[in-house]
Amino acid sequence: MTELHRDLPKRAWLRIYRVTGAITLISVALSVVFTNMIMEIFSAGINVQGLAVSILMPLVLGGPMIFVLMLRQEQLRHANGQLEHLATTDWLTACLNRGAFTGAVTRYLDRHPSTGGALLIVDADDFKGVNDRFGHDAGDAALRLIAGAIRQAVRSSDPVGRLGGEEFGVFLADSDVAAADHVAERIRRSVSAIDFAPDGMPCPLSVSIGGATYETRAPFGELYRLADRHLYEAKNTGRDRVAIMQAA
């Protein structure tokens, strides 16, 4: 709990202070009203001592209790958020993991069946060679660089996921073939521009990209199958290429 206490974001503390203050003030107001009603019945009305007690009691007893309850609630909210992040994020690249990416795209396809979009599969070229030459630590570093280049080349709202190994997925909402091809080329160029030199030895990085676009609702599995097919076309025609086609 101590770690969560330190890690709470600023907005959580603001929420704690705001709710604690509001409930405490309401408690003070109600205490004054009820105390005055009771004093009116049993005496000539509220006096200075009664007013002081009706104000101090909620402040001294209620305020700290409300603060502690709100703090525990925000700690629980923060812990749940961290667990959700861990459950949906790839530990190495900070992209969505495969399950989270597939789920996000599937939900979008179900909710927006007629808006059109594109699925891109981005695969690092000859990645086994990077691991064999420089080791898996350098390979992990290369994957992080590639993931960063992909995220920089797309919109912040575009889901990016690591599908496994050196393969990434990108979903582009409201995109036709031309728009998807433009984004894919931007990703390809961004990766090619990475300055990767483990142990001071230059190691160029490149990706091949396959894509499938749709105009009316298409199942995720069908889009993935078509994008994967075009990825193999890009690989087989020389790598460091883009191949995209619209789904039927």
Side-chain angles (χ1 to χ4, degrees):
M1 280 296 185
T2 303
E3 288 295 329
L4 289 175
H5 178 90
R6 287 200 295 263
D7 293 340
L8 284 179
K10 183 178 179 180
R11 64 178 180 276
W13 284 110
L14 291 175
R15 189 158 48 238
I16 291 171
Y17 294 139
R18 186 168 59 247
V19 174
T20 300
I23 295 178
T24 302
L25 288 176
I26 293 173
S27 300
V28 169
L30 292 174
S31 176
V32 171
V33 170
F34 287 131
T35 301
N36 183 61
M37 292 172 59
I38 294 172
M39 296 296 286
E40 286 284 354
I41 294 173
F42 294 101
S43 66
I46 194 168
N47 52 30
V48 175
Q49 292 83 357
L51 180 63
V53 171
S54 67
I55 294 175
L56 289 176
M57 288 295 286
L59 290 176
V60 173
L61 297 179
M65 292 178 61
I66 296 168
F67 179 83
V68 171
L69 289 174
M70 286 301 303
L71 177 60
R72 291 294 183 263
Q73 180 179 328
E74 290 300 327
Q75 287 174 333
L76 182 60
R77 188 202 303 267
H78 185 58
N80 288 337
Q82 289 182 318
L83 289 174
E84 183 179 357
H85 178 75
L86 290 173
T88 59
T89 304
D90 175 64
W91 67 272
L92 178 63
T93 62
C95 298
L96 295 174
N97 59 33
R98 186 185 183 98
F101 177 80
T102 302
V105 176
T106 299
R107 286 191 297 273
Y108 182 90
L109 293 173
D110 291 339
R111 294 171 183 171
H112 307 85
S114 302
T115 58
L119 176 66
L120 305 179
I121 299 180
V122 183
D123 190 78
D125 294 327
D126 192 26
F127 197 75
K128 184 178 182 299
V130 176
N131 286 327
D132 290 345
R133 290 174 60 196
F134 303 105
H136 288 278
D137 287 342
D140 289 347
L143 284 178
R144 285 191 290 268
L145 290 171
I146 291 172
I150 294 173
R151 285 195 296 267
Q152 290 179 357
V154 301
R155 299 168 296 190
S156 60
S157 59
D158 295 328
V160 177
R162 184 184 179 196
L163 303 182
E166 61 273 16
E167 186 176 272
F168 297 85
V170 179
F171 182 73
L172 308 172
D174 300 318
S175 295
D176 56 14
V177 174
D181 185 72
H182 178 74
V183 173
E185 283 291 345
R186 190 161 64 231
I187 293 172
R188 188 190 63 79
R189 290 194 299 268
S190 296
V191 173
S192 296
I194 293 174
D195 183 14
F196 182 58
D199 300 327
M201 299 177 62
C203 179
L205 299 176
S206 68
V207 292
S208 297
I209 303 174
T213 66
Y214 69 97
E215 292 183 350
T216 57
R217 189 184 187 284
F220 176 83
E222 179 68 10
L223 287 176
Y224 183 87
R225 184 182 66 80
L226 291 173
D228 193 52
R229 179 197 299 173
H230 296 311
L231 172 64
Y232 278 102
E233 290 179 8
K235 292 281 190 182
N236 291 333
T237 54
R239 300 178 180 176
D240 193 20
R241 296 173 184 270
V242 172
I244 296 178
M245 183 174 290
Q246 182 171 312

